[in-house]
Amino acid sequence: KPAAKPAAKPAAMPAQLGMRSIGLLLALAFAPAGASPATGEPPFSEWLRAQTADQWERVVSHRFASELAAGSLANATLRSYLVQDHRFVNEFTMLLAAMLSLVPTLDDRVQGAQFLALVTSKENTYFVRSLEALGVSPESASAVPDSPITTRFKALMRSTARGGSLANMLAVLLVCEWSYETWGERAMAERAPGLAFWHGEWIDLHAGAYFNSVIAYLRGLLDREGAVLDEVARREVVRVWAEAVGCEEDFFDAAYSSPYGGSVHDEGAEGKTEL
């Protein structure tokens, strides 16, 4: 198993550094450990990803991301995706807060708390602004029931937050964020010029130095936990990880099926849309 290592402490950040430089410093500070010199085994997070390699690649290569980057994603598909994805914010923040309550030190907690603030502010606001621009009123959005995959994914987050180990919590969080970072970086490199904000800002939120530092932080915590797990606990983390990866793939696929709770009349970003 990978050797345990203490949590990294972020370096002091001079006031004159820009946000990109700060993100790079945080990424270095929380960078996951490399392969164990003694065993040659990869970090636990890399090992976990390898257990679901084929499905992981389907998630991070999904057509949703390439269409988002090209600006060709149909409004009806994006509306359906955003209405359902916004439902995760409550359970996701619950899970993130639960994880922060279990890490042992303040240094372990600081960056996660900062990310929690971003999710509940900038990311949450993105959903509100985008749905409004795409013609989805709060009333029509709230009238749409959770899809089966939304129900399943929320249940996983909620049950892990309430009764899971720290490693299980980190596994679910990392699937959510690392998979998005992977497709987000690809989309950033391929993005078309002049994207509408509801395309471009979703990419921006999941790429770049700051988000890279969040992934490094989560991976570092999970690698440390993985190094001390017994075989039974490792198998449970693999189970939870695989379930979360499956939820991510099914959620992307569901955005292309019939919108939940009724039909969407794609009127573009100008007209109101009833779901």
Side-chain angles (χ1 to χ4, degrees):
K1 299 181 180 65
K5 76 184 192 94
K9 183 175 182 178
M13 293 176 284
Q16 68 268 27
L17 285 178
M19 286 304 297
R20 180 172 178 81
S21 297
I22 290 172
L24 289 170
L25 282 175
L26 288 169
L28 289 172
F30 285 99
S36 166
T39 66
E41 292 182 3
F44 186 57
S45 57
E46 286 283 2
W47 179 82
L48 276 173
R49 185 170 63 169
Q51 307 312 299
T52 56
D54 291 344
Q55 190 167 39
W56 179 275
E57 187 57 32
R58 291 197 300 273
V59 170
V60 301
S61 302
H62 200 279
R63 60 183 285 202
F64 180 92
S66 58
E67 291 175 7
L68 189 73
S72 61
L73 185 65
N75 283 350
T77 301
L78 184 57
R79 291 184 190 114
S80 180
Y81 170 90
L82 291 177
V83 166
Q84 295 295 324
D85 201 42
H86 197 197
R87 308 282 172 85
F88 293 128
V89 173
N90 184 58
E91 276 71 19
F92 182 86
T93 55
M94 181 191 305
L95 177 58
L96 182 53
M99 181 276 286
L100 293 174
S101 75
L102 293 184
V103 292
T105 71
L106 178 62
D107 287 341
D108 293 332
R109 205 163 284 126
V110 168
Q111 191 175 3
Q114 292 168 343
F115 181 54
L116 177 60
L118 182 143
V119 173
T120 55
S121 56
K122 189 173 182 180
E123 184 167 322
N124 186 59
T125 301
Y126 162 82
F127 283 107
V128 175
R129 292 168 52 239
S130 295
L131 287 169
E132 180 180 9
L134 288 165
V136 182
S137 68
E139 295 77 19
S140 60
S142 63
V144 180
D146 287 353
S147 69
I149 182 54
T150 298
T151 299
R152 190 172 111 218
F153 211 168
K154 285 171 62 175
L156 174 63
M157 292 182 190
R158 191 181 304 111
S159 64
T160 305
R162 289 176 175 171
S165 67
L166 176 57
N168 285 357
M169 293 177 187
L170 287 163
V172 176
L173 290 167
L174 190 56
V175 168
C176 295
E177 302 308 306
W178 196 8
S179 64
Y180 269 54
E181 180 206 34
T182 305
W183 71 251
E185 289 294 337
R186 294 177 183 178
M188 182 68 80
E190 299 168 358
R191 65 188 294 163
L195 289 178
F197 82 81
W198 49 86
H199 294 149
E201 287 187 20
W202 197 232
I203 297 170
D204 294 338
L205 283 165
H206 298 102
Y210 172 72
F211 196 62
N212 298 159
S213 76
V214 172
I215 306 311
Y217 160 76
L218 293 172
R219 288 189 61 195
L221 291 175
L222 183 56
D223 290 342
R224 187 178 67 187
E225 285 298 301
V228 297
L229 296 178
D230 62 27
E231 193 57 37
V232 172
R234 284 167 68 92
R235 285 199 298 269
E236 176 62 12
V237 176
V238 171
R239 183 194 68 77
V240 171
W241 175 279
E243 185 174 353
V245 173
C247 284
E248 289 289 1
E249 182 178 24
D250 291 348
F251 188 77
F252 275 140
D253 287 345
Y256 288 85
S257 65
S258 298
Y260 315 115
S263 62
V264 170
H265 305 289
D266 192 350
E267 300 171 3
E270 300 298 327
K272 292 294 180 184
T273 300
E274 294 303 321
L275 290 166

